[in-house]
Amino acid sequence: MLLRSLDPFAVARGYDIPDAVTIGDTVLSRSDLIGAATSVAERIARADRVAILAEPTPTTIIAIIGCLIAGVTVVPVPPDSGTDELAHILRDSGAQAWLGPAPDGTDLPVVPVRLHARSWHTYPEPDPADIAFVLYTSGTTGPPKGVLLSRRAIAAGLDALAEAWAWTRKDVLVHGLPLFHVHGLILGVLGPLRVGSPLVHTVKPTPQAYSQARGSMYFGVPTVWSRIADDVDACAALRPARVLVSGSAPLPIPVFERLAELTGHAPVERYGMSETMITLSARVDGERRAGWVGLPVTGVETRLRDEVGNDVPHDGESIGALQVRGPMLFDGYLGLPEETAKCWTDDGWFDTGDVAAIGPDGFHRIVGRASTDLIKSGGYRVGAVEVETALLGHPAVAEAAVVGVPDDDLGQRIVAYVVLAAAVDEQDLIDHVARVASVHKRPREVRVVTELPRNAMGKVQKKRLGG
């Protein structure tokens, strides 16, 4: 079973966990989760696909578990989605209803989730090939695409990480990450449910919240770890932990080193994407090397290819296109067979779009995107094209180009270069992006220019921007 730790018969045999999930001030036992989620399953069992506004609440977690019990596909929706992004996700996914709270002005029916409802009806385990989630990408090359993740792929991915991180039911996982992407949702919620370890979700990933949680495992993005590394008391509070895991963006080497010094734990770094989940990771029983994301997890193979398809030597310096294959990869992009086909090589490898180096010992180092349009800011993957599109929707903007600028706190700061058609306050443009795209996709800075640098073909030369 994907959620084998939620087997109601295990509860009957005395294996209940009184604090299976703590989120904010709410504590739910495993039997609480089973009863409430099964009640949800009874109300949605005939649906194919539902949208869940992925706020960090007990209702969200119960709604997701209910869908997994019933075999209904979940479409997690970022709570800060702007109007255009929200409309695209709902239209593209074909979601039939909102499960739990819905944003204002929705046209879809709303199915309530009752925190204290209980049902002990049993459902057969759905087919492992069934799609559990449609996760939407950050819109790097256009509108966000729906990534199809099967139950089988999720189970394989979580089991591989449990092995690499020696993750057992004796652990307590702590994080405060968003619940609409692989890191916070798949790893951070389904992981402990599958392993059988308690989860403490802090709602917000602040140093104070992490230091008060008293867990054995902590998940964070580089922005979180950077802030914790600057808080001596928070670092001291994490010394009793077993492992600190960093992902979603590269962890700056100074932050890695400071965490290792002040907490006594060299962070475990790992690499993945929505389409692949986690394919590379340092192991808890092996080396953790600053700037490197470790080895392939169980079942994963990797290779590097140059521009003409030749092998790239594993010397730690030569770089090439990173290609992977393994049991945790996605089933394609929803409704986009041509886009799906473009991601795969003729001999069955997935082209990640990232550039990497591999050392003689098999350790991997991610160099960056093959393109320049993926910005990793505060742990979020933000597509520059989507931000540009949002800016161009403002009547005062004639042209726009968006880049990521190095930032000590965020990793990269989103900066927009705009050519104006009319006078406008720069904050108005920032607020406009927050409304129509997402809050985390807003530019932190807008720079007004008279023209954008272009090549002979008219393409903006982003390498001449930034800094």
Side-chain angles (χ1 to χ4, degrees):
M1 295 177 66
L2 175 56
L3 296 177
R4 59 189 176 202
S5 66
L6 288 178
D7 176 3
F9 296 107
V11 175
R13 292 195 297 267
Y15 292 106
D16 196 10
I17 302 174
D19 55 351
V21 171
T22 302
I23 183 162
D25 296 327
T26 301
V27 180
L28 299 168
S29 70
R30 190 166 61 181
S31 58
D32 289 335
L33 292 171
I34 294 168
T38 305
S39 177
V40 169
E42 289 187 346
R43 294 196 294 277
I44 62 166
R46 295 182 181 179
D48 294 320
R49 194 172 295 157
V50 298
I52 296 176
L53 194 64
E55 299 171 315
T57 66
T59 298
T60 295
I61 292 178
I62 288 171
I64 289 168
I65 299 172
C67 289
L68 292 172
I69 290 173
V72 175
T73 300
V74 176
V75 182
V77 178
D80 66 349
S81 293
T83 53
D84 292 356
E85 181 180 74
L86 178 61
H88 169 75
I89 290 174
L90 296 179
R91 180 175 60 251
D92 186 72
S93 68
Q96 297 161 295
W98 285 100
L99 181 57
D104 294 336
T106 183
D107 294 328
L108 291 179
V110 177
V111 179
V113 174
R114 301 182 179 92
L115 189 62
H116 300 293
R118 297 291 183 268
S119 172
W120 303 110
H121 181 76
T122 58
Y123 287 84
E125 174 70 7
D127 190 323
D130 287 354
I131 299 302
F133 292 92
V134 181
L135 296 185
Y136 275 83
T137 66
S138 55
T140 306
T141 56
K145 298 187 287 288
V147 174
L148 302 173
L149 293 179
S150 71
R151 300 173 70 92
R152 177 188 292 120
I154 292 170
L158 293 177
D159 289 348
L161 291 181
E163 193 273 333
W165 300 342
W167 188 355
T168 73
R169 65 193 314 176
K170 296 180 180 179
D171 283 302
V172 174
L173 173 63
V174 176
H175 74 88
L177 302 173
L179 301 184
F180 52 85
H181 56 35
V182 166
H183 196 172
L185 173 57
I186 306 299
L187 276 59
V189 174
L190 300 194
L193 292 175
R194 182 164 177 81
V195 171
S197 63
L199 163 66
V200 176
H201 192 287
T202 62
V203 181
K204 293 184 178 180
T206 64
Q208 182 180 15
Y210 274 39
S211 64
Q212 293 176 348
R214 302 183 185 278
S216 62
M217 296 179 68
Y218 288 80
F219 288 175
V221 298
T223 300
V224 173
W225 293 124
S226 176
R227 293 170 182 172
I228 289 175
D230 288 336
D231 188 322
V232 174
D233 291 339
C235 286
L238 296 188
R239 292 191 73 87
R242 187 176 67 82
V243 60
L244 314 180
V245 180
S246 181
S248 296
L251 184 67
I253 291 176
V255 176
F256 180 104
E257 294 173 342
R258 185 166 174 81
L259 283 173
E261 175 188 358
L262 296 180
T263 69
H265 303 287
V268 165
E269 294 192 70
R270 85 301 182 281
Y271 163 82
M273 52 198 306
S274 299
E275 292 88 340
T276 67
M277 289 185 282
I278 308 305
T279 51
L280 301 168
S281 179
R283 298 179 58 88
V284 295
D285 59 355
E287 181 183 1
R288 306 173 202 179
R289 189 184 308 168
W292 296 73
V293 292
L295 304 164
V297 299
T298 299
V300 171
E301 298 174 88
T302 65
R303 70 183 187 184
L304 298 180
R305 288 291 187 267
D306 63 18
E307 290 82 357
V308 294
N310 296 322
D311 287 331
V312 172
H314 294 186
D315 56 14
E317 296 296 332
S318 301
I319 62 174
L322 177 63
Q323 299 175 357
V324 303
R325 62 183 180 187
M328 63 285 293
L329 271 61
F330 74 137
D331 279 24
Y333 297 115
L334 177 64
L336 298 171
E338 293 182 0
E339 290 289 326
T340 300
K342 287 193 298 185
C343 297
W344 295 87
T345 66
D346 292 339
D347 56 348
W349 292 74
F350 177 74
D351 190 341
T352 66
D354 281 314
V355 176
I358 302 176
D361 57 0
F363 257 58
H364 290 59
R365 175 168 58 89
I366 306 300
V367 177
R369 288 296 287 175
S371 68
T372 59
D373 285 332
L374 181 65
I375 303 170
K376 294 185 176 181
S377 182
Y380 292 102
R381 298 163 65 92
V382 178
V385 172
E386 189 179 13
V387 182
E388 290 162 1
T389 300
L391 285 166
L392 291 170
H394 193 286
V397 177
E399 299 179 69
V402 171
V403 298
V405 174
D407 186 278
D408 290 341
D409 185 35
L410 298 171
Q412 285 182 298
R413 183 173 72 259
I414 301 173
V415 176
Y417 289 80
V418 297
V419 177
L420 296 179
V424 65
D425 186 80
E426 293 175 13
Q427 187 61 46
D428 287 345
L429 298 181
I430 294 171
D431 293 342
H432 171 76
V433 174
R435 285 194 301 271
V436 302
S438 291
V439 173
H440 69 263
K441 296 177 182 178
R442 72 194 187 281
R444 299 300 178 119
E445 182 180 353
V446 174
R447 301 178 183 178
V448 178
V449 295
T450 56
E451 63 180 4
L452 298 175
R454 298 180 181 272
N455 62 17
M457 299 298 293
K459 184 176 180 180
V460 175
Q461 297 177 297
K462 290 190 175 182
K463 291 183 179 180
R464 295 173 57 186
L465 300 172

